[in-house]
Amino acid sequence: MGDEAGWARLAGDRPGRTSPAPLVLVWLAWVLVPPLLVFGGAIGSAPFFGEEPTAAERAQTTTLYLVAVALALGLPLLGLALTWRTRRVAAACFGAALIVAAVPAGLLLAQEYRGAGGGPAPDSGPPVCQEHSGGDNRCPGG
Protein backbone atom coordinates (compact mmCIF):
# COMPACT_ATOMS: atom_id res chain seq x y z
CA MET A 1 0.00 0.00 0.00
CA GLY A 2 2.85 2.41 0.73
CA ASP A 3 4.30 1.70 -2.71
CA GLU A 4 1.13 2.90 -4.43
CA ALA A 5 1.17 6.14 -2.46
CA GLY A 6 4.77 6.76 -3.57
CA TRP A 7 3.86 6.29 -7.22
CA ALA A 8 0.89 8.61 -6.81
CA ARG A 9 3.18 11.31 -5.40
CA LEU A 10 5.63 10.86 -8.26
CA ALA A 11 2.84 11.11 -10.82
CA GLY A 12 1.68 14.38 -9.27
CA ASP A 13 -1.69 13.03 -8.15
CA ARG A 14 -2.97 14.72 -5.05
CA PRO A 15 -6.29 14.23 -3.33
CA GLY A 16 -8.96 16.26 -5.07
CA ARG A 17 -7.03 16.57 -8.33
CA THR A 18 -8.37 15.26 -11.60
CA SER A 19 -6.31 13.03 -13.81
CA PRO A 20 -4.58 14.86 -16.67
CA ALA A 21 -5.85 12.37 -19.28
CA PRO A 22 -9.34 13.92 -19.69
CA LEU A 23 -7.77 17.36 -19.88
CA VAL A 24 -5.45 16.25 -22.67
CA LEU A 25 -8.41 14.77 -24.55
CA VAL A 26 -10.36 18.03 -24.17
CA TRP A 27 -7.37 20.00 -25.52
CA LEU A 28 -6.93 17.66 -28.47
CA ALA A 29 -10.62 17.75 -29.29
CA TRP A 30 -10.60 21.57 -29.10
CA VAL A 31 -7.57 21.87 -31.37
CA LEU A 32 -8.68 19.34 -33.98
CA VAL A 33 -12.46 19.05 -34.24
CA PRO A 34 -13.77 22.64 -34.72
CA PRO A 35 -11.23 23.53 -37.45
CA LEU A 36 -12.04 20.32 -39.31
CA LEU A 37 -15.77 21.06 -39.11
CA VAL A 38 -15.23 24.59 -40.45
CA PHE A 39 -13.10 23.19 -43.27
CA GLY A 40 -15.79 20.63 -44.09
CA GLY A 41 -18.41 23.37 -44.17
CA ALA A 42 -16.25 25.52 -46.43
CA ILE A 43 -15.73 22.64 -48.84
CA GLY A 44 -19.43 21.77 -48.77
CA SER A 45 -20.48 25.28 -49.76
CA ALA A 46 -17.77 25.92 -52.35
CA PRO A 47 -18.91 26.16 -55.97
CA PHE A 48 -17.41 23.27 -57.94
CA PHE A 49 -17.17 23.42 -61.72
CA GLY A 50 -19.21 26.63 -61.76
CA GLU A 51 -22.23 25.11 -60.00
CA GLU A 52 -23.55 26.85 -56.94
CA PRO A 53 -24.27 24.72 -53.86
CA THR A 54 -27.81 23.47 -53.43
CA ALA A 55 -30.07 24.46 -50.56
CA ALA A 56 -29.35 21.12 -48.84
CA GLU A 57 -25.60 21.71 -49.10
CA ARG A 58 -25.99 25.21 -47.66
CA ALA A 59 -28.10 23.82 -44.80
CA GLN A 60 -25.46 21.19 -44.09
CA THR A 61 -22.77 23.88 -44.11
CA THR A 62 -24.75 25.96 -41.61
CA THR A 63 -25.14 22.92 -39.36
CA LEU A 64 -21.41 22.17 -39.49
CA TYR A 65 -20.61 25.79 -38.64
CA LEU A 66 -22.99 25.81 -35.68
CA VAL A 67 -21.56 22.54 -34.33
CA ALA A 68 -18.04 23.93 -34.76
CA VAL A 69 -18.95 27.06 -32.80
CA ALA A 70 -20.62 25.02 -30.06
CA LEU A 71 -17.56 22.79 -29.69
CA ALA A 72 -15.09 25.66 -29.96
CA LEU A 73 -16.78 27.40 -27.04
CA GLY A 74 -18.04 24.35 -25.12
CA LEU A 75 -14.81 22.36 -24.89
CA PRO A 76 -12.78 25.12 -23.20
CA LEU A 77 -15.74 25.77 -20.92
CA LEU A 78 -15.76 22.07 -19.98
CA GLY A 79 -12.02 22.16 -19.35
CA LEU A 80 -12.42 25.29 -17.26
CA ALA A 81 -15.10 23.58 -15.17
CA LEU A 82 -12.89 20.51 -14.66
CA THR A 83 -9.84 22.48 -13.59
CA TRP A 84 -11.23 25.53 -11.80
CA ARG A 85 -10.58 24.38 -8.23
CA THR A 86 -7.58 22.09 -8.54
CA ARG A 87 -5.35 23.12 -11.45
CA ARG A 88 -5.02 26.89 -11.64
CA VAL A 89 -2.56 26.94 -14.57
CA ALA A 90 -4.72 24.61 -16.66
CA ALA A 91 -7.78 26.67 -15.76
CA ALA A 92 -6.02 29.81 -16.96
CA CYS A 93 -5.12 28.06 -20.22
CA PHE A 94 -8.70 26.90 -20.77
CA GLY A 95 -9.93 30.43 -20.01
CA ALA A 96 -7.51 31.84 -22.57
CA ALA A 97 -8.68 29.22 -25.08
CA LEU A 98 -12.27 30.27 -24.47
CA ILE A 99 -11.39 33.90 -25.17
CA VAL A 100 -9.39 32.95 -28.29
CA ALA A 101 -12.27 30.82 -29.60
CA ALA A 102 -14.85 33.55 -28.99
CA VAL A 103 -13.51 35.85 -31.72
CA PRO A 104 -13.67 33.44 -34.71
CA ALA A 105 -16.88 31.92 -33.36
CA GLY A 106 -18.48 35.37 -33.27
CA LEU A 107 -17.28 36.14 -36.79
CA LEU A 108 -18.58 32.82 -38.09
CA LEU A 109 -21.96 33.33 -36.44
CA ALA A 110 -22.17 36.87 -37.80
CA GLN A 111 -21.42 35.61 -41.31
CA GLU A 112 -24.09 32.94 -41.05
CA TYR A 113 -26.57 35.43 -39.57
CA ARG A 114 -26.04 37.82 -42.47
CA GLY A 115 -26.36 34.93 -44.90
CA ALA A 116 -23.15 35.87 -46.71
CA GLY A 117 -22.69 32.47 -48.28
CA GLY A 118 -26.32 31.48 -48.75
CA GLY A 119 -27.57 33.69 -51.53
CA PRO A 120 -27.20 33.39 -55.26
CA ALA A 121 -24.25 34.93 -57.06
CA PRO A 122 -24.72 38.61 -57.92
CA ASP A 123 -25.72 39.48 -61.46
CA SER A 124 -22.63 40.24 -63.54
CA GLY A 125 -24.43 41.99 -66.39
CA PRO A 126 -26.48 41.02 -69.42
CA PRO A 127 -26.20 37.46 -70.70
CA VAL A 128 -23.85 36.82 -73.60
CA CYS A 129 -25.27 35.27 -76.73
CA GLN A 130 -23.18 32.49 -78.27
CA GLU A 131 -23.98 31.43 -81.82
CA HIS A 132 -23.81 27.70 -82.57
CA SER A 133 -23.37 26.07 -85.94
CA GLY A 134 -25.92 23.71 -87.48
CA GLY A 135 -29.07 25.42 -86.37
CA ASP A 136 -31.08 28.55 -86.33
CA ASN A 137 -29.73 31.70 -84.78
CA ARG A 138 -31.46 32.48 -81.48
CA CYS A 139 -29.41 35.54 -80.67
CA PRO A 140 -31.29 38.83 -80.60
CA GLY A 141 -30.60 41.07 -83.56
CA GLY A 142 -29.35 38.49 -85.94
Side-chain angles (χ1 to χ4, degrees), residues 12-141:
D13 291 338
R14 295 187 188 131
R17 278 196 144 185
T18 58
S19 172
L23 302 178
V24 170
L25 290 176
V26 170
W27 272 113
L28 284 174
W30 181 73
V31 168
L32 296 175
V33 175
L36 288 174
L37 289 173
V38 170
F39 180 72
I43 291 295
S45 66
F48 286 109
F49 303 114
E51 295 181 16
E52 290 296 319
T54 64
E57 290 170 337
R58 286 194 301 269
Q60 182 182 16
T61 297
T62 301
T63 303
L64 286 174
Y65 286 163
L66 290 176
V67 170
V69 166
L71 288 176
L73 296 175
L75 288 171
L77 194 60
L78 174 67
L80 191 61
L82 289 174
T83 59
W84 182 253
R85 292 270 206 189
T86 57
R87 297 181 184 264
R88 295 290 182 176
V89 173
C93 291
F94 279 117
L98 187 62
I99 292 169
V100 165
V103 173
L107 292 174
L108 195 61
L109 285 176
Q111 177 185 3
E112 283 301 310
Y113 179 72
R114 282 191 312 251
D123 188 19
S124 60
V128 176
C129 186
Q130 179 75 30
E131 291 188 30
H132 298 282
S133 64
D136 55 343
N137 186 1
R138 295 189 187 137
C139 292

